[in-house]
Amino acid sequence: MSNHHRLRHFITSFAALLECEPGEAGIIRDGSSLLGELVAVDDWLPEAYAQPDPERYRQYLLHVDSAQRFSVVSFVWGPGQQTPVHDHTVWGLIGMLRGAEYTQPYRRQEGSLAPHGEPIQLLPGMVEAVSPNLDGYDDIHRVRNAYDDKVSISVHVYGANIGAVHRSVYQPDGTRKAFISGYSNTTLPNIWDLSLETKTA
């Protein structure tokens, strides 16, 4: 796929949003609209960053801001794959691009963790948010592919270089284990080469 202009437009628009310093609530509100526009069309994600792994979900870095104010990641879920219960420690936006996934929020209750509410199903074009700082949002959840027989892909935007953030996974009793996720890829999509677009314009 060569429609790099969609991802490039999203990245430049999101950077412009952050330049306006709208605060976290504003980032989630306006950033959700931008991400919704990006995942409304499924013709731009390069195939190299849409490949599943038979053992576990993959987390491909698509872009990280030079000041590490935000990162954009494609999560590729093989059939039946899921995360452990985990946190983020920064705001995050999750946009569904392909397939579907379920997000189960968790909250602390009497010293342990328990599911909070029903699982949230995300379908293509939908956007969900997490935040450790704002009322009405949860930062701890478990995510799983809604399908046992096909791949699903979601696009995440976080308020940091999420692959380098110190975070935690949780046991049912609330016990925390520290982790840093890293990324599944060692190269980034080249969305900045405008030569072919200039030739066809």
Side-chain angles (χ1 to χ4, degrees):
M1 296 183 186
S2 59
N3 294 315
H4 294 323
H5 65 279
R6 298 193 198 281
L7 179 57
R8 187 168 61 245
H9 175 73
F10 172 78
I11 288 168
T12 55
S13 298
F14 210 97
L17 169 63
L18 295 185
E19 289 295 332
C20 296
E21 300 182 353
E24 191 161 318
I27 292 170
I28 288 176
R29 180 190 65 242
D30 297 338
S32 292
S33 295
L34 292 173
L35 183 55
E37 293 173 6
L38 179 65
V39 296
V41 182
D42 184 7
D43 68 354
W44 56 268
L45 182 65
E47 287 301 317
Y49 308 98
Q51 297 304 308
D53 181 275
E55 300 299 325
R56 66 185 307 275
Y57 66 91
R58 291 204 161 186
Q59 178 175 320
Y60 295 102
L61 178 65
L62 303 178
H63 176 79
V64 64
D65 175 68
S66 61
Q68 301 187 76
R69 297 174 301 172
F70 73 99
S71 52
V72 184
V73 180
S74 65
F75 274 73
V76 182
W77 310 92
Q81 291 177 349
Q82 66 177 353
T83 69
V85 179
H86 65 281
D87 63 19
H88 308 84
T89 76
V90 297
W91 59 260
L93 302 172
I94 302 98
M96 203 70 214
L97 182 69
R98 193 178 303 170
E101 67 185 37
Y102 284 104
T103 298
Q104 175 62 67
Y106 281 74
R107 290 187 181 176
R108 294 190 180 280
Q109 294 182 2
E110 300 177 356
S112 62
L113 281 178
H116 176 73
E118 294 298 316
I120 301 164
Q121 185 181 31
L122 289 182
L123 300 172
M126 296 176 64
V127 177
E128 183 67 23
V130 296
S131 171
N133 305 311
L134 297 177
D135 290 339
Y137 296 95
D138 293 291
D139 186 48
I140 301 175
H141 68 185
R142 180 197 300 271
V143 183
R144 65 179 174 88
N145 189 346
Y147 297 105
D148 292 327
D149 59 354
K150 66 179 183 179
V151 171
S152 293
I153 300 176
S154 51
V155 178
H156 299 211
V157 185
Y158 295 104
N161 176 7
I162 194 65
V165 173
H166 291 261
R167 300 193 281 152
S168 298
V169 295
Y170 294 83
Q171 301 301 316
D173 63 0
T175 303
R176 300 169 58 166
K177 180 180 179 181
F179 82 106
I180 300 174
S181 67
Y183 298 108
S184 301
N185 51 316
T186 58
T187 62
L188 298 179
N190 182 1
I191 63 173
W192 304 106
D193 183 356
L194 306 181
S195 60
L196 291 178
E197 296 173 36
T198 302
K199 290 175 183 177
T200 58

